[in-house]
Amino acid sequence: MTPAAFAPAIADRLRAGGRLPMSAAGDDTAWRTLVVFSAYRVVLALGLSGAYAFLNAFFQLGTLQPGLAVTTLVTYAVAAVLLVVPALIREPRISLQVTAAVLVDVLAIVVLMHTSGGIRSGIGVSLLISLAAAGLITRGRLVFFHSAVAALAILLEQAFQMWRFDAPASDFVQSGLTSMALFATAGLGWTLARYARTSETIAEQRTIDLANMSQINELVIRDMQDGFLVVDPEGTIRQSNPRAAQLLGPLPQGRRPLLSEYSPEIALLMDSWRRGPEVTYAPFRTPRSSSELAVHFVPIGGGETPPTVVFVEDVGRLRAQAQQMKLVALGRLTASIAHEIRNPLSSINHAAELLAETEHAQAGDDRLVTIIRDNVHRLDRIVQEVLYLNRRDRAQPEPIEARAFLEQFTADFCANEQVPADGVQLEIRTTQRMNFDRQHLHQVLWNLLRNAWRHGLKLRGSVRVTLLPAEAPGMLALEVTDDGRGVAPDLQPHLFEPFFTTEAQGTGLGLYIARELCEGNGARIEYCEGGRGCRFRVTLKGN
């Protein structure tokens, strides 16, 4: 997949669900904190009630007005329990609940202070926790309003103590310090809440980035052109992508197979790589695929036998891309060849015909004219075959009835090439149809049979055409065999190179064109060693 085509796919996936509801997650945290704050208030009310009932000799709560103290403690406990309910159901809005809770705390604590002797009782310090919790929950300047209410309540209570009970004026210092502590606690809570909000925003963004990156990685792994397998030290396949299944075959369902079971070829190469890890790239061919593959091993992590990522690359695809680039350049060249060579050839051929018809021809001129005509025809044939390369990308595969096509083809070949009808033996061992471009298959077979008859003994059955199922599922093997001397081992690697020929009159383009046309139809042509004579096999798709 190209980057231009890959970008919309990523955008679609991100729009489909790449972002998480982070604002909802932040609100959920605030509501859960409010529940904890409400539970703390219940514990505080019950603790103060217990202290009054069992340890009042030490705490001295409600010594001035015991009746009011008992009423306040009971009311505070009931109110604390009731405030838990709206926190659990999350109604009404959170700022209103926090404000109501702080007002309840301020009213209850200040009344208890009043019944216990004022600021000297020390109960007012408990308001610091309430204001700090309120600042963390509301995360705004509302906490300073809460602090102001609490400070005014403490100062008014102290003024009432001076007016009603003649409390010393020095108690105002402690009341003022307590009020300042309330504002300081509120400011600290607000600052911590702001830092927490900033950290939460950063965490939310990182979570979004990680989610998006995870989806991007998933898309890259799913749509990458190379297959990959993650193999643990025990040889079990832990992860793979769809491309690996296309190249190597589907993995067993419901279990994690061993690499030696799934692909014995790769398992052997991995064992060899582990013994000598400097060899990290190895070509191979598997019976499940008609393509030539290569593997690249990359260890991950540490340890004596670390997990390994196996990249499976389709070498045929890379070769096809290189051939595509070559054919683009060749296509531009063929137009010039057709114009620059064909027209002069026509002129030379016409001049040779005129020379042969002249009345003043000298002895030996006929031989020279024949030489000119033969070489003109040879050059014209080269031009024709070079121009035929342009048809590779115009392949239109279609299901072809094997027996009818091959019988008609062999009859046409024998008639046009002056080959005896019994010189070509046809053998079909399958009922499947061949999936190939009809004209391309005709050109490929014509080149193979012409070479086979030229290099064979030219006897009955010297050329044999066989169609049978191939090793790979869904593939067919079309073989052309002759009874000649075969190809020397040192020449076999050059058979499919352009302009390579062992014949003086050959162009060296027949097998090269056959390979190009086969690859254009998703097939493969190869020379098979062993046996007498030459044997070429075309592995093509069946239908």
Side-chain angles (χ1 to χ4, degrees), residues 400-435:
I400 301 175
E401 291 291 342
R403 183 172 298 278
F405 175 84
L406 292 176
E407 289 178 352
Q408 182 63 41
F409 171 82
T410 54
D412 294 343
F413 174 80
C414 293
N416 285 274
E417 296 288 338
Q418 287 79 45
V419 175
D422 58 357
V424 179
Q425 179 181 351
L426 184 61
E427 184 178 357
I428 300 176
R429 305 178 187 173
T430 179
T431 59
Q432 293 188 65
R433 293 181 295 180
M434 301 179 294
N435 194 14

Side-chain angles (χ1 to χ4, degrees), residues 24 55 108 208 232 335 376 431 538:
L55 301 173
I208 293 173
D232 63 13
V376 165
T431 59
V538 178

Side-chain angles (χ1 to χ4, degrees), residues 220-287:
V220 171
I221 291 174
R222 187 192 66 187
D223 296 331
M224 63 188 301
Q225 295 299 318
D226 295 336
F228 87 95
L229 304 170
V230 179
V231 183
D232 63 13
E234 288 73 27
T236 303
I237 299 176
R238 294 293 179 181
Q239 189 177 0
S240 64
N241 67 338
R243 182 59 176 163
Q246 295 176 3
L247 295 175
L248 302 174
L251 277 81
Q253 297 293 332
R255 65 183 183 92
R256 292 176 175 176
L258 294 174
L259 181 62
S260 57
E261 299 175 356
Y262 178 61
S263 179
E265 302 85 4
I266 297 181
L268 292 175
L269 292 174
M270 179 177 288
D271 292 339
S272 176
W273 167 75
R274 284 175 174 169
R275 291 192 297 268
E278 66 278 358
V279 181
T280 59
Y281 186 88
F284 75 103
R285 192 184 298 276
T286 173

Side-chain angles (χ1 to χ4, degrees), residues 347-420:
S347 300
I348 294 173
N349 188 48
H350 183 63
E353 292 177 354
L354 293 178
L355 183 61
E357 295 175 358
T358 182
E359 297 178 355
H360 304 288
Q362 299 180 3
D365 286 350
D366 291 342
R367 180 175 176 275
L368 296 177
V369 169
T370 301
I371 294 174
I372 293 173
R373 285 177 175 173
D374 291 343
N375 283 277
V376 165
H377 292 159
R378 181 169 180 267
L379 290 174
D380 185 66
R381 181 181 167 191
I382 293 176
V383 172
Q384 286 278 10
E385 291 183 341
V386 170
L387 289 174
Y388 205 93
L389 289 175
N390 278 338
R391 303 182 186 178
R392 177 189 189 272
D393 293 336
R394 290 180 251 168
Q396 296 180 349
E398 60 178 293
I400 301 175
E401 291 291 342
R403 183 172 298 278
F405 175 84
L406 292 176
E407 289 178 352
Q408 182 63 41
F409 171 82
T410 54
D412 294 343
F413 174 80
C414 293
N416 285 274
E417 296 288 338
Q418 287 79 45
V419 175

Side-chain angles (χ1 to χ4, degrees), residues 204-233:
E204 290 175 358
Q205 187 59 46
R206 293 292 183 270
T207 303
I208 293 173
D209 293 341
L210 288 175
N212 292 345
M213 185 61 67
S214 176
Q215 291 186 357
I216 291 173
N217 290 339
E218 180 183 349
L219 285 171
V220 171
I221 291 174
R222 187 192 66 187
D223 296 331
M224 63 188 301
Q225 295 299 318
D226 295 336
F228 87 95
L229 304 170
V230 179
V231 183
D232 63 13

Side-chain angles (χ1 to χ4, degrees), residues 15 30 32 45 50 63 114 122 137 152 174 183 192 242 267 335 354 375 380 385 411 414 446 495 500 505 507 510:
R15 284 194 295 267
R32 284 189 279 110
T63 55
H114 173 70
I137 296 173
L152 287 174
Q174 188 174 354
F183 276 98
L192 291 177
L354 293 178
N375 283 277
D380 185 66
E385 291 183 341
C414 293
W446 199 281
L495 284 176
F500 173 79
Q505 298 299 320
T507 64

